[in-house]
Amino acid sequence: MNAILANIGFWVLGITAVVSALMLITRENPVHSALWMLLTFFCVAGIFVQLDAEFIAAIHVMVYAGAILVLYMFVVMLLNPKSTGFIKMPFKVILGAIVSFVIFLQVMMTLMGADVIKTSQLTGISDPNNFGNIKLFGIELFTKYIVPFEIVSIMLLVAMIGAIVIAKKD
Amino acid sequence: MVLAIVFTLIKILIIVVCTLIGVAYMTYAERKVIGSMQVRLGPTHTGPFGLLQPLADGLKLFTKEDMTPDMVDKPVFYVAPFLGMVPALAAFAVIPFADKMTIFGMEVQPYVTDINVGLLYILSLSSVGVYGIIMSGWASNSKYATIGSLRSTAQVISYETAMGLAIIGPVLLAGSTSLKSITDAQAGMWFMIPQFVAFIVFIISAVAETNRAPFDLPEAETEIVAGFHTEYSSMRFAMFFLGEYAAMWVMACLVAILFLGGYTGPFLPPLVWFLLKVFAFMFFYLWLRATLPRLRYDQLMDLGWKILIPIALANLLITSIVVYAIRN
């Protein structure tokens, strides 16, 4: 009973996420795109909850939907860019699409062939049932993954200082 | 299993109905309290002491004509009021109104659910609530609505940061983000005392986050008509109103849980204690509105970024050091 309900939940969330992602890249109006993106974020957060990763789900909504997308909306609203539509598709665009598709296939084949996910030393949290637990998450992050964590922190700090320097320059 | 689902649905229904009644009578309390603070009477004619005034207002809003201006972006215009209201109502799902109790030999939890990221859930919902404001402002295609929504968005984002930093203090002391664990951790002492700085920062940001006076710039009547909901009428306007007042109740509940010990207290039953603390904070909202003049926009931003956030950060640093020293 529970498994069936969980399955139904997954399919509803997954299909909504894919459909709204498609709507996101096909809308002409950037504000509409942003709103479809919001729906995608919510569906992905729902899938995280289904995987017992409530912490990731909450942070996902807070950071992506609550902060980043709001800034996008701000910029879009203030600049109000006019779309020229998708009807005119020059040769460059078609060429780009073909090239990116080939590269995508190549990347996928490399990944399948090399079995990167299995052979690299990535291991999950020791107690997967408790994944939503912030304490466990913090312990893993600050012991096993301390070096990547520190590198990311330094990068964010650099980005912050860079933003201030750029904004201060008149 | 089916019984559990039915039971949860009943609980959700009770909480939503209580919230709606709370919102309706908050408007009554607002008019009465501010009335007496300004030596007026407030509503007196509808029912005894004007007690039926909220019902009359509600009926009026229901039966008014629903106008949609020609130049609006229709789908976004229609969705925006829902996005303003739903997050505020959904936040009540994790609020522990009272401790577990036994009724007719059956153990009842007087809250919908107790998840281990309860506080983050409420924070992420309140950060999503801003979409109702942005979307209504953009979709209305009116300069007053756009200015109102831009102001409001900037304000909500800025004060969210200060609020989030202030919340970490109680979370560090309790060692959990579940609202029930935070309440239980305050059995000895309310977090208001060791976290006094965080308490002050939190209440200021809570008032700013809900766009209430003295931070009600988004709907400053004297400058920009009604801000982001200028173009809305009838039920759609009522939904914005409902969302705003429900968000006020959520913030009052959060203050009670994080700093005032939630439902803990001597003699009286837990639910009564909880409601007393929440009502006290709701009164504080009205008191502020009757007392303080509105801030100017740049003053508001200065207060948020240059005063509240540094104070909250310093508090966070000191709290972490003390907690670390005590625990080891």
Side-chain angles (χ1 to χ4, degrees):
Chain A
M1 180 72 184
N2 268 330
I4 298 170
L5 280 181
N7 246 327
I8 294 173
F10 172 75
W11 282 107
V12 169
L13 288 171
I15 290 170
T16 319
V18 172
V19 169
S20 54
L22 282 177
M23 297 296 268
L24 152 68
I25 53 170
T26 50
R27 293 307 91 188
E28 273 194 34
N29 192 325
V31 174
H32 291 182
S33 290
L35 295 174
W36 284 107
M37 198 166 171
L38 181 65
L39 186 59
T40 317
F41 285 152
F42 270 105
C43 294
V44 173
I47 293 173
F48 276 134
V49 170
Q50 280 207 318
L51 295 170
D52 291 328
E54 293 98 356
F55 178 62
I56 311 262
I59 293 297
H60 183 78
V61 171
M62 211 189 307
V63 173
Y64 283 92
I68 294 178
L69 195 58
V70 172
L71 289 182
Y72 281 179
M73 293 276 283
F74 232 89
V75 173
V76 166
M77 269 171 71
L78 288 176
L79 297 181
N80 206 5
K82 289 274 180 294
S83 166
T84 47
F86 293 97
I87 300 105
K88 285 183 290 176
M89 206 181 262
F91 177 68
K92 276 189 289 187
V93 176
I94 299 168
L95 192 69
I98 294 169
V99 168
S100 55
F101 185 68
V102 170
I103 292 175
F104 173 73
L105 279 184
Q106 216 167 2
V107 169
M108 286 312 283
M109 280 163 72
T110 318
L111 277 178
M112 304 281 262
D115 207 3
V116 180
I117 295 158
K118 206 181 281 176
T119 47
S120 67
Q121 293 299 308
L122 282 177
T123 46
I125 284 177
S126 47
D127 184 5
N129 290 329
N130 227 342
F131 189 61
N133 193 327
I134 298 171
K135 195 172 179 180
L136 209 61
F137 197 81
I139 290 172
E140 287 287 319
L141 198 61
F142 286 106
T143 52
K144 197 189 266 175
Y145 299 106
I146 182 76
V147 176
F149 179 80
E150 291 295 334
I151 292 170
V152 169
S153 315
I154 297 279
M155 279 164 68
L156 282 175
L157 186 66
V158 169
M160 244 162 75
I161 294 169
I164 292 170
V165 168
I166 291 171
K168 275 277 178 191
K169 204 165 29 180
D170 286 318
Chain B
M1 169 96 188
V2 176
L3 192 71
I5 291 176
V6 171
F7 211 65
T8 310
L9 283 179
I10 292 173
K11 274 196 280 196
I12 293 172
L13 196 67
I14 291 174
I15 288 173
V16 169
V17 169
C18 288
T19 311
L20 295 185
I21 294 173
V23 167
Y25 276 90
M26 185 63 197
T27 62
Y28 173 78
E30 184 160 18
R31 293 165 72 174
K32 275 287 185 193
V33 169
I34 293 181
S36 57
M37 281 178 181
Q38 297 170 345
V39 206
R40 294 184 286 111
L41 284 176
T44 50
H45 279 59
T46 330
F49 309 107
L51 271 172
L52 296 177
Q53 187 65 42
L55 289 181
D57 287 341
L59 278 177
K60 184 195 80 175
L61 282 171
F62 262 118
T63 48
K64 269 192 162 179
E65 188 189 353
D66 186 12
M67 295 271 290
T68 307
D70 266 345
M71 293 299 285
V72 301
D73 186 306
K74 288 216 173 57
V76 181
F77 188 78
Y78 291 150
V79 173
F82 288 95
L83 269 184
M85 184 184 73
V86 172
L89 288 181
F92 282 98
V94 293
I95 287 177
F97 297 97
D99 207 354
K100 279 185 189 136
M101 47 188 161
T102 323
I103 302 174
F104 305 125
M106 196 165 61
E107 195 171 74
V108 179
Q109 300 177 328
Y111 40 86
V112 177
T113 179
D114 174 39
I115 52 178
N116 62 13
V117 289
L119 196 54
L120 294 175
Y121 170 82
I122 291 187
L123 273 186
S124 48
L125 280 180
S126 84
S127 66
V128 167
V130 73
Y131 280 98
I133 299 170
I134 309 184
M135 285 165 69
S136 58
W138 178 79
S140 294
N141 209 350
S142 134
K143 49 183 170 297
Y144 298 121
T146 311
I147 294 171
S149 84
L150 282 178
R151 276 186 183 185
S152 175
T153 317
Q155 174 180 340
V156 171
I157 296 175
S158 318
Y159 280 85
E160 228 167 49
T161 321
M163 197 169 83
L165 288 172
I167 280 175
I168 302 177
V171 170
L172 278 174
L173 292 187
S176 166
T177 52
S178 147
L179 292 174
K180 189 155 184 315
S181 315
I182 293 175
T183 308
D184 293 338
Q186 295 175 70
M189 180 171 46
W190 289 0
F191 284 163
M192 189 188 148
I193 300 159
Q195 285 294 316
F196 188 71
V197 178
F199 175 66
I200 299 293
V201 172
F202 185 84
I203 55 176
I204 294 175
S205 349
V207 175
E209 179 86 5
T210 44
N211 292 335
R212 292 288 300 181
F215 305 107
D216 57 346
L217 289 129
E219 24 191 311
E221 298 92 347
T222 41
E223 311 162 39
I224 47 174
V225 193
F228 58 90
H229 54 59
T230 305
E231 304 296 331
Y232 283 85
S233 56
S234 179
M235 256 336 266
R236 294 184 203 285
F237 166 73
M239 280 162 84
F240 276 119
F241 209 71
L242 223 154
E244 187 187 320
Y245 276 74
M248 282 164 66
W249 283 105
V250 172
M251 285 301 158
C253 291
L254 269 188
V255 170
I257 293 166
L258 291 173
F259 296 101
L260 302 179
Y263 52 71
T264 53
F267 310 121
L268 295 169
L271 187 62
V272 176
W273 268 114
F274 187 78
L275 289 180
L276 273 179
K277 288 163 185 171
V278 172
F279 288 158
F281 191 70
M282 291 308 265
F283 179 78
F284 178 72
Y285 264 121
L286 303 183
W287 190 12
L288 276 183
R289 185 178 156 183
T291 313
L292 296 173
R294 189 179 291 136
L295 266 76
R296 215 172 53 223
Y297 187 67
D298 56 322
Q299 293 171 333
L300 175 94
M301 283 298 160
D302 278 0
L303 178 67
W305 288 101
K306 294 186 189 162
I307 300 176
L308 290 185
I309 292 178
I311 289 178
L313 271 175
N315 175 62
L316 177 59
L317 186 71
I318 293 168
T319 312
S320 332
I321 293 172
V322 171
V323 169
Y324 185 78
I326 290 173
R327 294 234 174 108
N328 284 281

